[in-house]
Amino acid sequence: MLDETRIGAVSPNPSQALVDEELLRLAAARVFARSSRAVRFLRHLVSRTLARDGAALREMALGVEIFHRSAEHFDPQTDSIVRVEARRLRQKLARYYADEGADARLQFDLPVGSYAVQFRLRTVCGLDDTPRSSVAVVEFVNRSASSQTPRVAGLARDITGALARLKGIRVVAYREIAPTDADRRRVARLLATATVLHGSVAYGDDVVTMSLELMRADDGSVVWSREETVSTEAATRLIETLARSVVHALHRDAQARQLRRVTLSGSAPYVRGPTDGRARDDLHRAFWCLRTPSIESTENAVRLLERCLSHGDDATAFAALGYALVRLVGLNARPARTAMEAARSAVGSALALDPENGSAHATMGTIAHTYDHDWPRAEASLLSALRFDPGRADAHSRYGWSLMVNARFAEAQASYYEARRLDPIDLTLRTHQALIWLYERDYERAAAELALVREVDPQRLVAAALQAALYLYSGRWRQGREAYLEMTHRFPGLSISHCGLAQAYALLGERGPALAELSWLRRAHEAGQAPPYQLAMVHARLAMSSPDAADAVHAMDRAFAALQLSADTRDFNFVCTAVDPAFDVLRLDSRFNALLTNHGLGHLARGAAPTHDARV
């Protein structure tokens, strides 16, 4: 069940990246567009509040510093400039958060009688219920040869991406064809959208014909429709023309229904991508490959993207290449150092060509977080991705994942809630929400969420692995052993199965089998098929369960050595160390906080985690 209770929590120490991002959004809003003095006033109040500089927040100091009154002659009793401007600022803030700032993650409050700003985290799922336009984009019908399917899907993705750049709208991609009006209205009900965009594409020898229609879900009436035939080389311009037309139609519909304004989130064109036909074809087929999160499919995407870029530089292709390379690191398919540096170069090229490319900002954030261990810089990039691509589920989920491993669980849940609103049928999002509950040690809610996922897809690997881990973390070690045994039979070469099984054996006191599984993991690690983080998990469990004090100390030493190696080799998993319950036994050791601090996670260093009643 989605959490809708965490509303308006006051945060005395919001992250600087979150503060900076909200100030940028606020300054660009209509209500502040012609109020540069109000923005400057707010920035000063925010800065001095965060600095705990009470003297600078006194009325006398503000009159001199912000409103340029003479220090010798300014008398707050007779000159009310500070109080008047503070009242106006409060009014503008109220209007902003009721309209364009309705989905803000951080709210600035200026209580009456004070000039110290209160920072209020807006982690409420219900914030998204502010009325706004919504559209489901169903897969386009392919009226040309079957071999053109990736190209047709690519055009549908382009349209979806154009709409996802809009503020005040909810865009949901539906990757199946809905052939009849009844099917389309069923899709709209499933995805809870008010309109449906559908169409068909036909490729000829040198031409492409696109036919699109925007339909209301409630009564089936057509809001907008258009059909165009152009040369293949002109297809990019056609996509942009159609995207603009759809945007205008949605804007008019929003006005008619008195919904939130539909506006572009940046200044860049609606549709991006190479204009060369061959390059665009490679790009579309690469995105088709990226739909499948396997090593082979991702490697194919890299090959196609590199070929796409051989025709000329393109921001979209560079951003996709960076994303694909980072995914290969996460799949343990490429070494972190070479692949992450190549990914950094690719997304850097994307941002040089297009500073508003949301996907590139998101990947840069992932690199800064998981590879550089620089969370402040990572959060700033992830928030930029959300500013330029507010309608992409992926942008919200990637920020949510990083918030989760930074122990900002309420904010992480809110991010995943919005991601699920944008992509309601993606089970991966529900699975990751269960992981948030697991890391927060709310095992009952984690189990409930995983049960819903496995009810739909019992064979889903990540959900099965999390369910098995949940058994271990909640003290049901025998159930965990059976779950991991089943996984090793289904996926004999998967390291996480053997890692979990080794932990289960260790917790049950079955030291021989635990060491046998650990030996398997070591061989897999030496072959580059298991991360050192998994070795650390097993050693931590051996330390926790060993009846011999000397053996426990030795296991602790080995656990810290493996975690150190995980940090040194930029293991993708290392950033989870601070919140992973597997390492609870290590937290009382001073080396744990030192390890976090030495590798960019010092803000997460703290005392021992709460203990739990764990019964076998």
Side-chain angles (χ1 to χ4, degrees), residues 33 116 147 165 234 262 284 329 415 480 524 539 559:
S147 61
R165 297 202 62 239
V262 176
H284 285 163
V329 174
S415 290
H539 285 300

Side-chain angles (χ1 to χ4, degrees), residues 2 11 13 18 24 75 109-110 136 140 148 188 226 258 288 295 327 350 429 443 449 534 557:
L2 297 171
S11 174
N13 297 297
L18 200 56
L24 279 174
D75 181 0
D109 285 344
L110 189 60
F140 292 174
Q148 303 298 328
R226 188 162 176 177
Q258 296 184 324
W288 182 266
I295 294 174
R327 179 193 276 183
L429 299 177
Y443 300 134
E449 198 69 47
Q534 293 179 357
D557 292 342

Side-chain angles (χ1 to χ4, degrees), residues 46-330:
V46 167
S47 172
R48 294 303 85 205
T49 301
L50 288 173
R52 307 288 195 273
D53 188 354
L57 292 171
R58 292 173 183 161
E59 192 169 348
M60 181 71 185
L62 292 170
V64 173
E65 178 71 19
I66 300 301
F67 301 107
H68 309 297
R69 295 302 196 257
S70 167
E72 296 178 357
H73 302 101
F74 178 49
D75 181 0
Q77 297 298 319
T78 59
D79 187 343
S80 61
I81 181 66
V82 180
R83 297 190 298 277
V84 168
E85 291 301 322
R87 184 174 67 252
R88 289 174 178 169
L89 178 58
R90 291 187 190 96
Q91 293 169 347
K92 289 181 181 295
L93 287 171
R95 292 202 299 273
Y96 169 71
Y97 288 115
D99 183 20
E100 291 179 86
D103 58 351
R105 287 174 172 74
L106 184 68
Q107 178 172 318
F108 304 127
D109 285 344
L110 189 60
V112 175
S114 172
Y115 298 112
V117 177
Q118 284 188 349
F119 305 97
R120 195 171 295 276
L121 291 174
R122 294 162 62 91
T123 57
V124 189
C125 302
L127 282 174
D128 185 66
D129 296 333
T130 304
R132 57 175 171 167
S133 294
S134 55
V135 58
V137 183
V138 301
E139 197 73 88
F140 292 174
V141 175
N142 179 14
R143 299 200 183 282
S144 47
S146 59
S147 61
Q148 303 298 328
T149 299
R151 297 177 73 183
V152 173
L155 296 179
R157 181 190 176 280
D158 287 341
I159 292 285
T160 306
L163 299 179
R165 297 202 62 239
L166 301 173
K167 294 184 291 185
I169 188 172
R170 187 167 73 88
V171 184
V172 185
Y174 187 72
R175 291 178 176 173
E176 294 182 22
I177 295 172
T180 68
D181 283 354
D183 292 326
R184 293 160 197 146
R185 294 173 72 179
R186 176 185 57 80
V187 167
R189 288 194 297 272
L190 172 67
L191 304 180
T193 61
T195 58
V196 181
L197 180 68
H198 65 97
S200 64
V201 182
Y203 279 94
D205 292 336
D206 296 307
V207 298
V208 57
T209 300
M210 288 193 66
S211 176
L212 296 182
E213 183 177 272
L214 183 66
M215 182 183 77
R216 281 185 176 154
D218 51 5
D219 58 9
S221 61
V222 176
V223 177
W224 168 90
S225 65
R226 188 162 176 177
E227 180 172 306
E228 294 279 354
T229 299
V230 297
S231 67
T232 305
E233 291 298 318
T236 302
R237 293 191 297 274
L238 172 61
I239 288 289
E240 179 159 353
T241 298
L242 293 174
R244 288 181 182 275
S245 297
V246 173
V247 168
H248 294 155
L250 287 167
H251 181 66
R252 290 193 301 271
D253 188 57
Q255 288 181 314
R257 297 181 184 221
Q258 296 184 324
L259 303 177
R260 202 186 303 178
R261 273 200 329 151
V262 176
T263 58
L264 188 62
S265 62
S267 60
Y270 287 100
V271 178
R272 303 156 177 175
T275 56
D276 180 87
R278 293 167 299 173
R280 196 164 190 87
D281 185 40
D282 283 337
L283 179 68
H284 285 163
R285 291 196 292 141
F287 279 120
W288 182 266
C289 291
L290 288 173
R291 286 186 172 190
T292 304
S294 68
I295 294 174
E296 181 182 9
S297 184
T298 308
E299 291 283 11
N300 282 338
V302 169
R303 177 181 58 81
L304 287 165
L305 290 165
E306 289 174 341
R307 193 166 74 187
C308 170
L309 289 165
S310 70
H311 296 289
D313 290 350
D314 177 74
T316 303
F318 273 127
L321 177 60
Y323 171 78
L325 290 169
V326 169
R327 179 193 276 183
L328 288 173
V329 174

Side-chain angles (χ1 to χ4, degrees), residues 286-599:
F287 279 120
W288 182 266
C289 291
L290 288 173
R291 286 186 172 190
T292 304
S294 68
I295 294 174
E296 181 182 9
S297 184
T298 308
E299 291 283 11
N300 282 338
V302 169
R303 177 181 58 81
L304 287 165
L305 290 165
E306 289 174 341
R307 193 166 74 187
C308 170
L309 289 165
S310 70
H311 296 289
D313 290 350
D314 177 74
T316 303
F318 273 127
L321 177 60
Y323 171 78
L325 290 169
V326 169
R327 179 193 276 183
L328 288 173
V329 174
L331 292 170
N332 295 314
R334 291 200 182 187
R337 291 191 184 277
T338 54
M340 285 298 218
E341 291 299 341
R344 191 200 308 276
S345 176
V347 295
S349 297
L351 291 172
L353 293 167
D354 177 9
E356 295 184 358
N357 190 296
S359 177
H361 279 291
T363 300
M364 193 65 86
T366 301
I367 295 169
H369 186 198
T370 62
Y371 182 70
D372 299 329
H373 302 161
D374 186 343
W375 171 237
R377 184 160 55 87
E379 186 175 18
S381 292
L382 291 165
L383 286 167
S384 292
L386 289 171
R387 180 167 15 115
F388 295 124
D389 276 335
R392 287 192 184 277
D394 176 68
H396 292 272
S397 64
R398 289 169 80 172
Y399 183 45
W401 186 89
S402 286
L403 289 170
M404 170 186 69
V405 298
N406 275 279
R408 288 164 58 180
F409 300 120
E411 294 170 84
Q413 287 286 2
S415 290
Y416 271 101
Y417 180 92
E418 179 63 11
R420 282 181 55 190
R421 291 273 292 177
L422 295 167
D423 195 350
I425 57 178
D426 186 344
L427 288 179
T428 299
L429 299 177
R430 297 198 76 140
T431 305
H432 284 176
Q433 279 202 297
L435 181 58
I436 300 173
W437 295 125
L438 188 150
Y439 280 158
E440 200 170 0
R441 294 170 171 75
D442 190 336
Y443 300 134
E444 184 176 347
R445 298 186 78 164
E449 198 69 47
L450 287 172
L452 293 174
V453 172
R454 301 198 73 192
E455 180 183 14
V456 177
D457 185 0
Q459 303 305 313
R460 179 168 286 259
L461 173 60
V462 176
L466 285 182
Q467 179 65 70
L470 181 59
Y471 288 141
L472 299 188
Y473 294 151
S474 59
R476 291 172 285 176
W477 300 332
R478 288 196 177 90
Q479 288 175 273
R481 178 185 60 190
E482 297 310 309
Y484 279 119
L485 275 171
E486 181 184 349
M487 285 184 63
T488 56
H489 293 150
R490 286 176 54 204
F491 308 102
L494 190 67
S495 65
I496 190 62
S497 304
H498 293 273
C499 172
L501 188 56
Q503 292 180 73
Y505 282 138
L507 291 168
L508 288 166
E510 300 177 23
R511 192 168 183 81
L515 294 176
E517 292 296 331
L518 180 58
S519 295
W520 187 100
L521 268 182
R522 285 202 188 101
R523 292 193 298 272
H525 170 64
E526 291 167 0
Q529 298 171 349
Y533 187 88
Q534 293 179 357
L535 297 175
M537 295 175 79
V538 178
H539 285 300
R541 296 303 195 178
L542 288 168
M544 175 180 172
S545 60
S546 176
D548 183 87
D551 282 346
V553 170
H554 179 67
M556 287 275 280
D557 292 342
R558 298 295 295 271
F560 277 112
L563 278 178
Q564 183 65 57
L565 182 62
S566 178
D568 291 341
T569 58
R570 301 297 199 273
D571 180 355
F572 206 87
N573 303 282
F574 178 74
V575 293
C576 303
T577 302
V579 294
D580 194 334
F583 299 121
D584 282 357
V585 70
L586 308 183
R587 298 180 198 279
L588 289 175
D589 193 304
S590 61
R591 288 175 291 180
F592 190 79
N593 282 349
L595 180 71
L596 296 180
T597 301
N598 292 338
H599 293 281

